[in-house]
Short mmCIF file of all heavy atoms in Angstrom, two decimals:
data_model
loop_
_atom_site.label_atom_id
_atom_site.label_comp_id
_atom_site.label_asym_id
_atom_site.label_seq_id
_atom_site.Cartn_x
_atom_site.Cartn_y
_atom_site.Cartn_z
N LYS A 27 0.29 -1.68 -9.73
CA LYS A 27 0.40 -0.26 -10.07
C LYS A 27 0.33 -0.09 -11.59
O LYS A 27 1.08 -0.72 -12.33
CB LYS A 27 1.70 0.32 -9.52
CG LYS A 27 1.82 1.82 -9.72
CD LYS A 27 2.78 2.14 -10.83
CE LYS A 27 2.76 3.61 -11.19
NZ LYS A 27 3.74 3.93 -12.23
N VAL A 28 -0.58 0.75 -12.00
CA VAL A 28 -0.80 0.98 -13.42
C VAL A 28 -0.46 2.44 -13.74
O VAL A 28 -1.01 3.35 -13.12
CB VAL A 28 -2.30 0.72 -13.76
CG1 VAL A 28 -2.61 1.13 -15.17
CG2 VAL A 28 -2.65 -0.75 -13.53
N GLY A 29 0.44 2.65 -14.67
CA GLY A 29 0.86 4.01 -15.02
C GLY A 29 -0.02 4.65 -16.08
O GLY A 29 -0.74 3.96 -16.80
N SER A 30 0.06 5.99 -16.15
CA SER A 30 -0.76 6.74 -17.11
C SER A 30 -0.51 6.28 -18.54
O SER A 30 -1.43 6.19 -19.35
CB SER A 30 -0.43 8.23 -17.06
OG SER A 30 -0.53 8.72 -15.77
N ALA A 31 0.77 5.98 -18.87
CA ALA A 31 1.12 5.65 -20.25
C ALA A 31 0.35 4.42 -20.75
O ALA A 31 0.04 4.31 -21.93
CB ALA A 31 2.62 5.42 -20.36
N VAL A 34 -3.85 5.65 -20.75
CA VAL A 34 -4.37 6.75 -21.57
C VAL A 34 -3.94 6.58 -23.01
O VAL A 34 -2.76 6.41 -23.32
CB VAL A 34 -3.89 8.11 -21.01
CG1 VAL A 34 -4.46 9.25 -21.83
CG2 VAL A 34 -4.30 8.24 -19.55
N VAL A 66 -3.32 0.52 -7.83
CA VAL A 66 -2.90 1.92 -7.69
C VAL A 66 -2.85 2.46 -9.12
O VAL A 66 -2.04 2.00 -9.93
CB VAL A 66 -1.53 2.06 -7.00
CG1 VAL A 66 -1.07 3.51 -6.99
CG2 VAL A 66 -1.62 1.53 -5.57
N SER A 67 -3.78 3.33 -9.44
CA SER A 67 -3.91 3.77 -10.83
C SER A 67 -3.60 5.25 -11.01
O SER A 67 -4.19 6.10 -10.36
CB SER A 67 -5.32 3.49 -11.33
OG SER A 67 -5.48 3.97 -12.64
N SER A 68 -2.70 5.54 -11.92
CA SER A 68 -2.43 6.91 -12.34
C SER A 68 -3.38 7.23 -13.48
O SER A 68 -4.15 6.37 -13.90
CB SER A 68 -1.01 7.04 -12.86
OG SER A 68 -0.08 6.54 -11.94
N GLY A 69 -3.28 8.42 -13.99
CA GLY A 69 -4.05 8.77 -15.19
C GLY A 69 -4.98 9.95 -14.99
O GLY A 69 -5.51 10.48 -15.96
N ALA A 70 -5.17 10.37 -13.72
CA ALA A 70 -6.12 11.46 -13.47
C ALA A 70 -5.68 12.75 -14.17
O ALA A 70 -6.47 13.40 -14.86
CB ALA A 70 -6.27 11.69 -11.97
N ILE A 71 -4.40 13.09 -14.01
CA ILE A 71 -3.92 14.35 -14.59
C ILE A 71 -3.91 14.26 -16.11
O ILE A 71 -4.37 15.16 -16.82
CB ILE A 71 -2.53 14.72 -14.02
CG1 ILE A 71 -2.66 14.97 -12.51
CG2 ILE A 71 -1.94 15.94 -14.73
CD1 ILE A 71 -1.37 15.18 -11.75
N ALA A 72 -3.43 13.11 -16.61
CA ALA A 72 -3.37 12.93 -18.07
C ALA A 72 -4.76 13.03 -18.70
O ALA A 72 -4.96 13.69 -19.73
CB ALA A 72 -2.73 11.59 -18.40
N LEU A 73 -5.76 12.41 -18.08
CA LEU A 73 -7.12 12.44 -18.63
C LEU A 73 -7.76 13.81 -18.45
O LEU A 73 -8.34 14.37 -19.39
CB LEU A 73 -8.00 11.40 -17.92
CG LEU A 73 -7.72 9.95 -18.25
CD1 LEU A 73 -8.42 9.04 -17.24
CD2 LEU A 73 -8.19 9.62 -19.66
N GLY A 74 -7.62 14.35 -17.24
CA GLY A 74 -8.26 15.64 -16.95
C GLY A 74 -7.70 16.77 -17.80
O GLY A 74 -8.44 17.63 -18.26
N LYS A 90 -2.53 21.30 -12.61
CA LYS A 90 -2.43 19.85 -12.41
C LYS A 90 -3.53 19.38 -11.46
O LYS A 90 -4.14 18.34 -11.65
CB LYS A 90 -1.08 19.48 -11.79
CG LYS A 90 0.03 19.32 -12.79
CD LYS A 90 1.24 18.73 -12.09
CE LYS A 90 2.46 18.89 -12.97
NZ LYS A 90 3.70 18.85 -12.23
N ALA A 93 -6.77 19.43 -13.21
CA ALA A 93 -6.82 18.29 -14.14
C ALA A 93 -7.09 16.99 -13.38
O ALA A 93 -7.90 16.16 -13.81
CB ALA A 93 -5.50 18.20 -14.91
N ALA A 94 -6.44 16.85 -12.23
CA ALA A 94 -6.64 15.63 -11.43
C ALA A 94 -8.09 15.53 -10.98
O ALA A 94 -8.71 14.45 -11.02
CB ALA A 94 -5.71 15.63 -10.22
N GLY A 97 -10.08 14.54 -14.08
CA GLY A 97 -9.77 13.21 -14.62
C GLY A 97 -10.08 12.07 -13.67
O GLY A 97 -10.41 10.97 -14.09
N GLN A 98 -10.01 12.34 -12.35
CA GLN A 98 -10.22 11.26 -11.38
C GLN A 98 -11.63 10.67 -11.50
O GLN A 98 -11.83 9.48 -11.30
CB GLN A 98 -9.96 11.78 -9.96
CG GLN A 98 -10.02 10.73 -8.87
CD GLN A 98 -9.01 9.60 -9.02
OE1 GLN A 98 -7.90 9.80 -9.51
NE2 GLN A 98 -9.42 8.39 -8.66
N LEU A 101 -11.54 8.35 -14.39
CA LEU A 101 -10.68 7.21 -14.06
C LEU A 101 -11.42 6.21 -13.17
O LEU A 101 -11.44 5.00 -13.44
CB LEU A 101 -9.44 7.75 -13.33
CG LEU A 101 -8.28 6.81 -13.11
CD1 LEU A 101 -7.73 6.33 -14.45
CD2 LEU A 101 -7.17 7.52 -12.33
N LEU A 120 -8.33 7.92 -2.15
CA LEU A 120 -7.34 8.94 -2.50
C LEU A 120 -6.49 9.23 -1.27
O LEU A 120 -7.02 9.52 -0.21
CB LEU A 120 -8.05 10.22 -2.97
CG LEU A 120 -8.94 10.05 -4.21
CD1 LEU A 120 -9.64 11.36 -4.56
CD2 LEU A 120 -8.13 9.55 -5.40
N VAL A 151 -6.64 3.02 -5.90
CA VAL A 151 -6.00 4.08 -5.14
C VAL A 151 -5.28 5.06 -6.06
O VAL A 151 -4.72 4.66 -7.08
CB VAL A 151 -4.94 3.47 -4.18
CG1 VAL A 151 -4.30 4.53 -3.30
CG2 VAL A 151 -5.55 2.36 -3.32
N ASN A 152 -5.32 6.32 -5.73
CA ASN A 152 -4.49 7.32 -6.41
C ASN A 152 -4.07 8.33 -5.36
O ASN A 152 -4.58 8.34 -4.25
CB ASN A 152 -5.25 7.98 -7.56
CG ASN A 152 -4.33 8.70 -8.55
OD1 ASN A 152 -3.11 8.76 -8.37
ND2 ASN A 152 -4.91 9.24 -9.60
N GLU A 153 -3.12 9.17 -5.73
CA GLU A 153 -2.75 10.24 -4.82
C GLU A 153 -3.89 11.26 -4.79
O GLU A 153 -4.58 11.48 -5.80
CB GLU A 153 -1.46 10.93 -5.30
CG GLU A 153 -1.10 12.10 -4.41
CD GLU A 153 0.39 12.37 -4.32
OE1 GLU A 153 1.12 11.94 -5.22
OE2 GLU A 153 0.80 13.02 -3.34
N ASN A 154 -4.11 11.86 -3.61
CA ASN A 154 -5.14 12.89 -3.50
C ASN A 154 -4.56 14.19 -4.06
O ASN A 154 -4.24 15.13 -3.34
CB ASN A 154 -5.54 13.04 -2.03
CG ASN A 154 -6.83 13.81 -1.88
OD1 ASN A 154 -7.36 14.33 -2.86
ND2 ASN A 154 -7.35 13.87 -0.67
N ASP A 155 -4.43 14.22 -5.39
CA ASP A 155 -3.72 15.32 -6.06
C ASP A 155 -4.35 16.69 -5.83
O ASP A 155 -3.66 17.70 -5.87
CB ASP A 155 -3.66 15.05 -7.57
CG ASP A 155 -2.66 13.97 -7.93
OD1 ASP A 155 -1.51 14.06 -7.48
OD2 ASP A 155 -3.03 13.04 -8.67
N ARG A 163 3.62 15.89 -1.46
CA ARG A 163 2.96 14.91 -2.32
C ARG A 163 3.96 13.82 -2.65
O ARG A 163 5.17 14.02 -2.60
CB ARG A 163 2.35 15.56 -3.56
CG ARG A 163 3.26 16.14 -4.59
CD ARG A 163 2.50 17.05 -5.54
NE ARG A 163 1.52 16.33 -6.35
CZ ARG A 163 1.72 15.97 -7.62
NH1 ARG A 163 2.86 16.24 -8.21
NH2 ARG A 163 0.80 15.36 -8.29
N PHE A 164 3.43 12.64 -2.95
CA PHE A 164 4.30 11.55 -3.39
C PHE A 164 4.88 11.96 -4.75
O PHE A 164 6.05 11.77 -5.02
CB PHE A 164 3.51 10.26 -3.56
CG PHE A 164 3.09 9.63 -2.28
CD1 PHE A 164 1.79 9.75 -1.81
CD2 PHE A 164 4.00 8.91 -1.53
CE1 PHE A 164 1.40 9.16 -0.63
CE2 PHE A 164 3.62 8.32 -0.34
CZ PHE A 164 2.32 8.44 0.11
N GLY A 165 4.00 12.51 -5.60
CA GLY A 165 4.44 12.96 -6.91
C GLY A 165 4.50 11.83 -7.91
O GLY A 165 4.30 12.03 -9.10
N ASP A 166 4.80 10.64 -7.47
CA ASP A 166 4.81 9.52 -8.39
C ASP A 166 4.09 8.35 -7.71
O ASP A 166 4.16 8.20 -6.50
CB ASP A 166 6.24 9.12 -8.75
CG ASP A 166 6.96 8.56 -7.55
OD1 ASP A 166 6.87 7.35 -7.31
OD2 ASP A 166 7.58 9.36 -6.81
N ASN A 167 3.40 7.58 -8.52
CA ASN A 167 2.61 6.50 -7.95
C ASN A 167 3.43 5.23 -7.67
O ASN A 167 2.92 4.29 -7.10
CB ASN A 167 1.42 6.18 -8.85
CG ASN A 167 0.25 7.14 -8.59
OD1 ASN A 167 0.38 8.05 -7.78
ND2 ASN A 167 -0.85 6.93 -9.27
N ASP A 168 4.71 5.21 -8.08
CA ASP A 168 5.56 4.06 -7.75
C ASP A 168 5.72 3.97 -6.24
O ASP A 168 5.48 2.94 -5.62
CB ASP A 168 6.95 4.19 -8.40
CG ASP A 168 6.88 4.10 -9.92
OD1 ASP A 168 5.99 3.40 -10.43
OD2 ASP A 168 7.71 4.75 -10.59
N ARG A 169 6.14 5.10 -5.64
CA ARG A 169 6.35 5.10 -4.19
C ARG A 169 5.03 5.01 -3.43
O ARG A 169 4.94 4.35 -2.40
CB ARG A 169 7.15 6.32 -3.76
CG ARG A 169 8.64 6.13 -4.05
CD ARG A 169 9.43 7.35 -3.72
NE ARG A 169 8.91 8.50 -4.47
CZ ARG A 169 9.29 9.75 -4.23
NH1 ARG A 169 10.15 10.01 -3.29
NH2 ARG A 169 8.79 10.73 -4.95
N LEU A 170 3.98 5.66 -3.98
CA LEU A 170 2.66 5.54 -3.35
C LEU A 170 2.25 4.07 -3.29
O LEU A 170 1.79 3.57 -2.26
CB LEU A 170 1.61 6.36 -4.13
CG LEU A 170 0.15 6.15 -3.71
CD1 LEU A 170 -0.09 6.61 -2.27
CD2 LEU A 170 -0.81 6.88 -4.64
N SER A 229 8.88 5.54 -18.42
CA SER A 229 8.15 6.80 -18.31
C SER A 229 8.13 7.31 -16.88
O SER A 229 8.28 8.50 -16.62
CB SER A 229 6.74 6.63 -18.85
OG SER A 229 6.07 5.65 -18.10
N GLY A 230 7.94 6.41 -15.91
CA GLY A 230 7.91 6.86 -14.52
C GLY A 230 9.30 7.02 -13.95
O GLY A 230 9.48 7.56 -12.87
N THR A 234 12.53 6.10 -9.19
CA THR A 234 11.40 5.97 -8.25
C THR A 234 10.98 4.51 -8.11
O THR A 234 10.50 4.10 -7.07
CB THR A 234 10.17 6.81 -8.69
OG1 THR A 234 9.77 6.38 -9.98
CG2 THR A 234 10.48 8.28 -8.68
N LYS A 235 11.22 3.72 -9.15
CA LYS A 235 10.88 2.29 -9.06
C LYS A 235 11.81 1.58 -8.07
O LYS A 235 11.38 0.72 -7.31
CB LYS A 235 10.95 1.62 -10.44
CG LYS A 235 9.79 2.07 -11.31
CD LYS A 235 9.77 1.39 -12.65
CE LYS A 235 8.52 1.78 -13.42
NZ LYS A 235 8.24 3.23 -13.46
N1 LIG B 419 -1.38 10.83 -9.45
C1 LIG B 419 -1.07 11.17 -10.80
C2 LIG B 419 -2.30 11.02 -11.71
O1 LIG B 419 -3.16 10.25 -11.45
C3 LIG B 419 -0.01 10.26 -11.40
C4 LIG B 419 1.31 10.17 -10.75
C5 LIG B 419 2.20 9.15 -11.51
O2 LIG B 419 1.95 8.92 -12.69
O3 LIG B 419 3.08 8.54 -10.94
O4 LIG B 419 -2.41 11.63 -12.72
#
Side-chain angles (χ1 to χ4, degrees):
K27 186 255 171 177
V28 172
S30 307
V34 181
V66 175
S67 176
S68 308
I71 296 173
L73 288 166
K90 276 190 194 157
Q98 185 61 33
L101 191 61
L120 299 178
V151 184
N152 197 357
E153 176 150 22
N154 195 353
D155 286 309
R163 68 195 295 259
F164 288 102
D166 67 88
N167 277 2
D168 293 328
R169 281 177 302 170
L170 171 64
S229 60
T234 59
K235 288 183 174 48

